[in-house]
Amino acid sequence: LLLMGLVFTLTSFSCTGPFVGTVMLAAVNGDWVWPLLGMTVFATVFALPFFLLALFPTALKSLPKSGGWLNSVKVVLGFVELIFAVKFLSNADLVAHWGILKREVFLGLWLLLGTGLFVYLIGKLKFPHDSPLQKLSPFRISAALLALVFTAYTAYGIPGNDLRFFSGFPPPKFYSLQKTQSAIEPIKNDYEGALAKAKAENKPLMVDFTGWACVNCRKMEENVWPDMEVLKRLSEKYVIVSLYVDDKKELPENEQRMSDFFQGKKIKTVGNKFSEMQAKYFGSNSQPFYVLISPDEKLLNTPRGYTPDPKEYVSFLDCGLNAYQEINGHQ
């Protein structure tokens, strides 16, 4: 139980970390009211199911008894667990730059698992503890059809087609066995180089604080950035630099140092460097996070986080462009 609790804590932290980190950042800056309120709500949500079951113990008696159906549920959840395990392994592969789970390999594994789940649900694949399957129930047929749709859609993405409904889960399209050319090619992890390019081209700079394992970052890049109006502004009006806050590549020895913002933390990797930069100068550690600045590093407008509406994102970009034009007009 202790071991399972430890594993659950570690795995769930990857999802809750951005929320808890943002709340705790306010405490670092001396504000205790919002962190206290935020963590109280956070703890309440986790504790609520156990509280309700303790309050109404008779509800436990109404739960269905275990049997062959429960083993089927465990097998199905096992397939689902493996599908998500591939996703988390892909995150580690991206962050550490192993180059193992390229986009096609990732989707190929999902295709195999989806096929296995479909074959199991229609009764063509058996496991030792399964009860004899007399007939397919409506629920089992529905689950099998869902698995079949998942499998077919995954197969559709292997040749390089867009997977809008899976956006953010497979590796990005540039992390592929095929050499693909995107309409937007941000400069990666080179802030100084991007700033020099912005000065040379007399364009504002969009600093994209992102992460290799950030689902919402991929959703923005695959669903919002390709929008015609957004694409026009990003490709023609801005220089873009993507700074990966979870990049595990180590900095040269002469660049490694103790953080002057995070007490007791050593800035050892590329990700550490840009994570500190985001928190120190912009008071945020959630991704994606977009900052528009002039070539002389003046903030053009209020930074923006996850913005799934292309129209809102266009307004954000236009606001930065207008501010930059005003600055140029006064110079």
Side-chain angles (χ1 to χ4, degrees), residues 295-311:
D296 54 353
E297 298 184 286
K298 291 181 180 177
L299 194 63
L300 297 176
N301 60 357
T302 304
R304 178 70 67 95
Y306 179 59
T307 310
D309 185 352
K311 291 183 179 178

Side-chain angles (χ1 to χ4, degrees), residues 256-296:
Q256 295 184 21
R257 56 181 173 78
M258 296 303 296
S259 172
D260 56 4
F261 183 79
F262 295 118
Q263 187 174 4
K265 183 176 180 179
K266 186 174 182 179
I267 305 301
K268 188 177 179 180
T269 66
V270 170
N272 295 155
K273 174 183 175 181
F274 295 130
S275 180
E276 182 196 46
M277 177 182 175
Q278 182 186 355
K280 181 178 179 179
Y281 295 109
F282 306 107
S284 172
N285 68 345
S286 62
Q287 291 78 42
F289 193 73
Y290 305 104
V291 183
L292 306 181
I293 61 173
S294 64
D296 54 353

Side-chain angles (χ1 to χ4, degrees), residues 126-234:
K126 296 286 186 181
F127 287 93
H129 297 289
D130 283 333
S131 300
L133 187 62
Q134 304 297 332
K135 64 175 184 177
L136 297 179
S137 66
F139 180 80
R140 192 160 184 141
I141 293 173
S142 299
L145 289 175
L146 188 62
L148 182 61
V149 170
F150 170 85
T151 304
Y153 191 62
T154 301
Y156 171 75
I158 292 178
N161 297 314
D162 290 329
L163 297 176
R164 187 178 181 86
F165 293 107
F166 289 171
S167 181
F169 286 91
K173 294 186 77 171
F174 64 78
Y175 196 73
S176 168
L177 296 174
Q178 308 173 44
K179 297 297 182 182
T180 56
Q181 188 70 27
S182 175
I184 301 176
E185 295 287 349
I187 298 170
K188 292 180 175 64
N189 289 340
D190 185 5
Y191 175 75
E192 291 76 14
L195 197 62
K197 183 178 180 181
K199 290 177 180 177
E201 298 181 4
N202 193 26
K203 291 181 179 179
L205 177 67
M206 185 176 87
V207 183
D208 165 32
F209 288 101
T210 184
W212 292 111
C214 172
V215 171
N216 284 340
C217 302
R218 299 294 86 77
K219 286 183 177 180
M220 288 293 295
E221 292 162 14
E222 295 172 11
N223 297 336
V224 178
W225 284 14
D227 178 85
M228 287 186 63
E229 292 300 318
V230 175
L231 181 62
K232 182 179 179 181
R233 287 158 176 78
L234 290 180

